[in-house]
Amino acid sequence: MHTRQNIIEIFSTFLQFDADRFSGWVTDAKLRRSMLGCMSQLPQPETSENFWVLYWYKERQSQGESLARSPKMSHSPGTWHLVAYLQEACYWVAQKTAANFSSGQNTVADCFQIAIAQVDKVLKGFNPSQGFALKNYASAIFSNLIRENLRQRGEVDICTPWGLLRKISQKRLIEALQTAGLSSQAIASYVLAWNCFKAVYVPTPIASRKLPKPDSTAWNAIAALYNYNSQRQGAESPPETLEKWLLSCAKAARDYLYPTFNSLNTPREGQDFGEFLEILPGTESPSLLAEIISKEEEQSRNSQLAEINAVLVAAVAKLESQAQQLLQMYYTQQLNQQQIAQQLEIQQYTVSRRLSKARQSLLLALAQWSQNTLHIALTSDVLKDTSAVLEEWLKIHYSHPDTLTHREQPL
C-alpha cells in the first residue's frame, strides 16, 4: 500500500479494496473542498498532521457529534476528516491482526471493516491532553476491537444452533428478531417456542457449544409444552414447525450479534460490473422533500411580506396629511430635516418631532400585527428589529412614488 503524502489527501481520502487487496485512495470531494477552504484562511500553509488532528478534533467536540447518532456525511466535517486520517492506521492493524489468526477465514478487508465501523469509540475515547498521538491511540483500540470481535464471532461460529439458543438472552433474541423484520405476533410465538425449548431440552453439560439437535422425544415434549402455553384451540403447532422456528431464531441471533461487513465497492449481486457505491443517493443534490419544504417556506415568506406591506400602506393612509407630506419629502425627495424646515418655514425640531411621531404610529401598527398574527412577544429586542424593518420598508416604499396609493396633500 502506498501512503498518502500531502496533508489534503491525508484528511480527505478513503482506502479502497479490490477483493482483499489495497487498490487505491478515493477522494471525497466535499472533504477536499473543506480542507482547501480551511487552508486558504490561514496566513501561511500548515502541513503538520498534529495541527489538523487537533483542529478537526476541536471542531468535532464543538458539534458534540456521534457517528452512532448521526452517521450521515451531511453533518459537520470534523468527524469525517478524522475518519479519513485514520484509514492507514486501521489498515496496518487489520493486516497484522488478520495475519495472526491462523484460520484464514478473516481477511484484511474483513478486519478493516470491523474496526472502521467502530471508529466512533476511538474518537470518543481520545483525549489529546493526555499526550497520546491519535494514530497510536487508534491503533491500540482498533487492535482490541478486531480481536474481541473475532474471538466472540469465532465462539458463535463454532456453536451449533442449539448451543447458541441456550447461550443467548431473551432480550437479545427479541432484538435480533425485530432486526430481522418479524411482526410482533411472530416474535411472541418464536420467543414462547424458545422458552419451551430451554425448559425441556436441558442436556449435560448445558453450556456445551457443540450441543446436538434434540431427539424426537424432546421435540414432542417441546411441542406439547408450547401448545399448552399458547392456549390456541384447533391451531396446535407440530414439532416440525417449532424446529423451523427455532432454527430461524438461531440464524437471526447469529446475524444480529455478528453481522457481516460489506464494502461499498462490492459488485452488485447478479452483475459483473457496478458497485453498491454507484447506486447510493448523492449528498450534494437536494431531495424532493427538501425542495417542497423550501418552496413552502418561500411562499410563507412572500405571504408575510405582502401582509406587512398591506398593514403599513393602510397605516400610512391613516396618518395626517402633514405627516404624509413629511415622509414623502424625507424619503422620496431625500431632503434632510433642515431643508424640510426651510421649505415649510417651520422649526427643525418641529420637523423632527412630527417625523418621529409618524414613525411611531407606523411602528405601533406593525408591532401589533406581529403580535396578533405571528404571536411574537413585544420585547425590546423585537421592537428594535421591527423598527429596522419599518425603516427599510419606508425607503423602498417611497423610492417608487408612482406606486403610492395615497397622494400626500400640502400642509
Side-chain angles (χ1 to χ4, degrees), residues 1 4 8-17 22-32 73 77 79-88 112 116 119 264-265 277:
M1 180 186 75
R4 299 169 290 184
I8 294 178
E9 290 183 353
I10 291 174
F11 285 90
S12 63
T13 59
F14 293 85
L15 190 147
Q16 186 177 40
F17 282 96
F22 167 81
S23 65
W25 295 101
V26 179
T27 300
D28 183 278
K30 186 175 181 180
L31 295 184
R32 180 178 175 83
M73 287 293 288
T79 295
W80 295 103
H81 280 296
L82 295 176
V83 174
Y85 172 71
L86 292 174
Q87 296 286 294
E88 286 174 332
F112 179 88
I116 209 67
V119 69
L264 291 177
N265 302 111
L277 186 61

Coordinates of all heavy atoms in Angstrom, one line a residue, residues 1 4 8-17 22-32 73 77 79-88 112 116 119 264-265 277:
M1 N 0.8 -1.2 0.0 CA 0.0 0.0 0.0 C 0.9 1.2 0.0 O 1.8 1.4 0.8 CB -0.9 0.0 1.2 CG -1.8 1.3 1.3 SD -2.8 1.4 2.8 CE -1.5 2.0 3.9
R4 N -0.3 8.1 1.8 CA -0.6 9.4 1.3 C 0.5 10.4 1.7 O 1.0 10.3 2.8 CB -2.0 9.8 1.9 CG -3.1 8.9 1.4 CD -4.4 9.2 2.2 NE -4.3 8.7 3.6 CZ -5.3 8.8 4.4 NH1 -6.5 9.2 4.0 NH2 -5.1 8.4 5.7
I8 N -3.7 17.4 2.3 CA -5.1 17.4 1.9 C -5.6 16.0 1.6 O -6.7 15.6 2.0 CB -5.2 18.3 0.6 CG1 -4.9 19.7 0.9 CG2 -6.6 18.1 -0.1 CD1 -4.9 20.6 -0.3
E9 N -4.7 15.2 1.0 CA -5.1 13.8 0.8 C -5.3 13.0 2.1 O -6.2 12.2 2.2 CB -4.0 13.1 -0.1 CG -4.0 13.5 -1.5 CD -2.9 12.7 -2.3 OE1 -2.2 11.9 -1.7 OE2 -2.9 12.9 -3.5
I10 N -4.4 13.3 3.0 CA -4.5 12.6 4.3 C -5.8 12.8 5.0 O -6.3 11.9 5.7 CB -3.3 13.0 5.2 CG1 -2.0 12.5 4.6 CG2 -3.5 12.5 6.6 CD1 -0.8 13.0 5.4
F11 N -6.4 13.9 4.9 CA -7.7 14.2 5.6 C -8.9 14.2 4.7 O -10.0 14.7 5.1 CB -7.5 15.6 6.3 CG -6.7 15.6 7.5 CD1 -5.3 15.8 7.4 CD2 -7.2 15.2 8.7 CE1 -4.5 15.7 8.6 CE2 -6.4 15.2 9.9 CZ -5.1 15.4 9.8
S12 N -8.8 13.7 3.4 CA -10.0 13.8 2.6 C -10.1 12.6 1.7 O -10.9 12.5 0.8 CB -9.9 15.0 1.7 OG -8.8 15.0 0.8
T13 N -9.3 11.5 1.9 CA -9.4 10.3 1.0 C -9.6 9.1 1.9 O -9.3 9.0 3.1 CB -8.1 10.1 0.2 OG1 -7.0 10.0 1.1 CG2 -7.8 11.3 -0.7
F14 N -10.2 8.1 1.2 CA -10.6 6.8 1.9 C -10.0 5.7 1.2 O -9.9 5.6 -0.1 CB -12.1 6.7 2.0 CG -12.7 7.7 2.9 CD1 -13.1 9.0 2.4 CD2 -12.9 7.5 4.3 CE1 -13.6 10.0 3.3 CE2 -13.5 8.4 5.1 CZ -13.8 9.7 4.6
L15 N -9.6 4.6 1.9 CA -9.0 3.5 1.4 C -10.0 2.6 0.6 O -11.2 2.5 1.0 CB -8.4 2.6 2.5 CG -7.5 1.5 2.2 CD1 -6.4 1.3 3.3 CD2 -8.3 0.2 2.1
Q16 N -9.5 2.0 -0.5 CA -10.4 1.2 -1.4 C -9.8 -0.2 -1.5 O -8.6 -0.3 -1.8 CB -10.6 1.9 -2.7 CG -11.6 1.1 -3.6 CD -11.9 1.9 -4.9 OE1 -10.9 2.4 -5.5 NE2 -13.1 1.9 -5.4
F17 N -10.6 -1.2 -1.4 CA -10.1 -2.6 -1.5 C -10.6 -3.1 -2.9 O -11.6 -2.8 -3.4 CB -10.7 -3.5 -0.4 CG -10.0 -3.3 0.9 CD1 -10.5 -2.5 1.9 CD2 -8.8 -4.0 1.2 CE1 -9.8 -2.3 3.1 CE2 -8.2 -3.9 2.4 CZ -8.7 -3.1 3.4
F22 N -5.3 -3.9 -1.2 CA -5.4 -2.4 -1.4 C -5.4 -2.1 -2.8 O -4.5 -2.5 -3.6 CB -4.3 -1.8 -0.6 CG -4.1 -0.3 -0.9 CD1 -4.9 0.7 -0.3 CD2 -3.2 0.1 -1.9 CE1 -4.7 2.0 -0.6 CE2 -3.0 1.4 -2.2 CZ -3.8 2.4 -1.6
S23 N -6.3 -1.2 -3.3 CA -6.3 -0.9 -4.7 C -6.1 0.6 -4.9 O -5.9 1.0 -6.1 CB -7.7 -1.3 -5.4 OG -8.7 -0.6 -4.8
G24 N -6.3 1.5 -3.9 CA -6.0 2.9 -4.1 C -6.8 3.7 -3.1 O -7.4 3.2 -2.2
W25 N -6.7 5.0 -3.3 CA -7.3 6.0 -2.4 C -8.4 6.7 -3.2 O -8.2 7.1 -4.3 CB -6.3 7.0 -1.9 CG -5.3 6.4 -1.0 CD1 -4.0 6.1 -1.3 CD2 -5.4 6.1 0.4 NE1 -3.3 5.6 -0.3 CE2 -4.2 5.6 0.8 CE3 -6.5 6.2 1.3 CZ2 -4.0 5.1 2.1 CZ3 -6.3 5.7 2.6 CH2 -5.1 5.2 3.0
V26 N -9.6 6.8 -2.6 CA -10.7 7.5 -3.2 C -10.9 8.9 -2.5 O -11.0 8.9 -1.3 CB -12.0 6.7 -3.1 CG1 -13.2 7.4 -3.7 CG2 -11.8 5.3 -3.7
T27 N -11.0 9.9 -3.3 CA -11.1 11.3 -2.7 C -12.6 11.6 -2.5 O -13.4 11.4 -3.4 CB -10.5 12.3 -3.7 OG1 -9.1 12.0 -3.9 CG2 -10.6 13.7 -3.1
D28 N -12.9 12.1 -1.4 CA -14.2 12.7 -1.1 C -14.2 14.2 -1.5 O -13.5 14.9 -0.8 CB -14.6 12.5 0.3 CG -16.0 12.9 0.6 OD1 -16.2 14.2 0.8 OD2 -16.9 12.1 0.7
A29 N -14.9 14.5 -2.5 CA -14.9 15.9 -3.0 C -15.3 16.9 -1.9 O -14.7 18.0 -1.8 CB -15.8 16.1 -4.2
K30 N -16.3 16.6 -1.1 CA -16.7 17.5 -0.1 C -15.7 17.8 1.0 O -15.4 18.9 1.4 CB -18.0 16.9 0.6 CG -18.7 17.9 1.6 CD -19.9 17.3 2.1 CE -20.6 18.2 3.1 NZ -21.9 17.6 3.6
L31 N -15.0 16.7 1.4 CA -13.9 16.9 2.4 C -12.7 17.6 1.8 O -12.0 18.4 2.5 CB -13.5 15.5 2.9 CG -14.5 14.7 3.7 CD1 -13.9 13.5 4.3 CD2 -15.1 15.6 4.9
R32 N -12.4 17.4 0.5 CA -11.3 18.1 -0.1 C -11.6 19.6 -0.2 O -10.7 20.4 0.1 CB -11.1 17.5 -1.5 CG -10.0 18.2 -2.3 CD -9.8 17.6 -3.7 NE -8.8 18.3 -4.4 CZ -7.5 18.1 -4.3 NH1 -7.0 17.2 -3.4 NH2 -6.6 18.8 -5.0
M73 N -23.0 11.9 6.0 CA -21.9 12.8 5.6 C -22.3 14.2 5.6 O -21.5 15.1 5.4 CB -21.4 12.4 4.3 CG -20.6 11.1 4.3 SD -19.0 11.2 5.1 CE -18.1 12.2 4.0
P77 N -18.0 18.3 9.2 CA -16.9 17.5 8.6 C -15.8 17.1 9.5 O -15.0 16.2 9.2 CB -16.4 18.5 7.5 CG -16.6 19.8 8.1 CD -18.0 19.7 8.8
T79 N -15.6 15.1 12.2 CA -15.6 13.7 12.4 C -15.0 12.9 11.2 O -14.2 12.1 11.3 CB -17.0 13.1 12.7 OG1 -17.4 13.7 14.0 CG2 -17.0 11.6 12.8
W80 N -15.5 13.3 10.0 CA -15.2 12.6 8.8 C -13.8 12.9 8.3 O -13.1 12.0 7.7 CB -16.2 12.9 7.7 CG -17.5 12.4 8.1 CD1 -18.6 13.1 8.5 CD2 -17.9 11.0 8.1 NE1 -19.6 12.3 8.8 CE2 -19.3 11.0 8.5 CE3 -17.3 9.8 7.7 CZ2 -20.0 9.8 8.7 CZ3 -18.0 8.6 7.8 CH2 -19.4 8.6 8.3
H81 N -13.2 14.0 8.6 CA -11.8 14.3 8.3 C -10.9 13.4 9.2 O -9.9 12.9 8.7 CB -11.5 15.8 8.6 CG -11.9 16.7 7.5 ND1 -11.4 16.7 6.3 CD2 -12.8 17.7 7.5 CE1 -11.9 17.6 5.5 NE2 -12.8 18.3 6.3
L82 N -11.3 13.2 10.4 CA -10.6 12.3 11.3 C -10.7 10.8 10.9 O -9.8 10.0 11.0 CB -11.0 12.5 12.8 CG -10.7 13.8 13.4 CD1 -11.3 13.9 14.8 CD2 -9.2 14.1 13.4
V83 N -11.9 10.4 10.4 CA -12.1 9.1 9.9 C -11.1 8.8 8.7 O -10.5 7.8 8.6 CB -13.5 8.8 9.5 CG1 -13.7 7.5 8.9 CG2 -14.4 8.9 10.8
A84 N -11.1 9.8 7.8 CA -10.2 9.7 6.7 C -8.7 9.6 7.1 O -7.9 8.8 6.6 CB -10.4 10.9 5.8
Y85 N -8.4 10.4 8.1 CA -7.0 10.4 8.6 C -6.6 9.1 9.2 O -5.4 8.6 9.0 CB -6.9 11.5 9.7 CG -5.6 11.5 10.5 CD1 -4.4 11.9 9.9 CD2 -5.5 11.1 11.8 CE1 -3.2 11.9 10.6 CE2 -4.4 11.1 12.5 CZ -3.2 11.5 11.9 OH -2.0 11.5 12.6
L86 N -7.5 8.3 9.8 CA -7.2 7.1 10.5 C -7.3 5.9 9.5 O -7.1 4.7 10.0 CB -8.2 6.9 11.6 CG -8.1 7.8 12.8 CD1 -9.2 7.6 13.8 CD2 -6.7 7.7 13.5
Q87 N -7.5 6.1 8.3 CA -7.6 5.0 7.3 C -6.3 4.1 7.3 O -6.4 2.9 7.4 CB -7.8 5.5 5.9 CG -9.2 6.2 5.7 CD -10.4 5.2 5.7 OE1 -10.5 4.4 4.8 NE2 -11.2 5.3 6.7
E88 N -5.1 4.7 7.3 CA -3.9 4.0 7.2 C -3.6 3.2 8.5 O -3.3 2.0 8.5 CB -2.7 4.9 6.9 CG -2.7 5.4 5.5 CD -1.6 6.4 5.3 OE1 -1.3 7.2 6.2 OE2 -1.1 6.5 4.1
F112 N -10.5 -4.8 8.6 CA -10.6 -3.3 8.4 C -12.0 -2.8 8.6 O -12.3 -1.8 9.3 CB -10.1 -3.0 7.0 CG -10.2 -1.5 6.7 CD1 -9.1 -0.7 7.0 CD2 -11.3 -0.9 6.1 CE1 -9.1 0.7 6.8 CE2 -11.3 0.4 5.8 CZ -10.3 1.3 6.2
I116 N -13.2 -0.1 11.4 CA -13.6 1.3 11.0 C -15.0 1.5 11.2 O -15.5 2.7 11.4 CB -13.3 1.5 9.5 CG1 -13.0 3.0 9.2 CG2 -14.3 0.9 8.6 CD1 -11.7 3.5 9.8
V119 N -15.2 3.2 14.6 CA -14.2 4.3 14.8 C -14.7 5.3 15.8 O -14.0 6.1 16.4 CB -13.9 5.0 13.5 CG1 -15.1 5.7 12.9 CG2 -12.7 5.9 13.6
L264 N -18.6 -0.9 0.2 CA -19.4 -0.2 -0.8 C -18.9 -0.5 -2.2 O -19.6 -0.2 -3.1 CB -19.4 1.3 -0.5 CG -20.2 1.7 0.8 CD1 -20.0 3.2 1.0 CD2 -21.6 1.3 0.7
N265 N -17.7 -1.0 -2.3 CA -17.1 -1.3 -3.6 C -17.4 -2.7 -4.1 O -16.9 -3.1 -5.1 CB -15.6 -1.0 -3.6 CG -15.3 0.4 -3.2 OD1 -14.7 0.6 -2.2 ND2 -15.6 1.4 -4.1
L277 N -21.7 1.4 -4.3 CA -21.4 2.9 -4.1 C -22.1 3.7 -5.2 O -22.5 4.8 -5.0 CB -19.9 3.1 -4.1 CG -19.4 4.5 -3.8 CD1 -19.8 4.9 -2.4 CD2 -17.9 4.6 -4.0

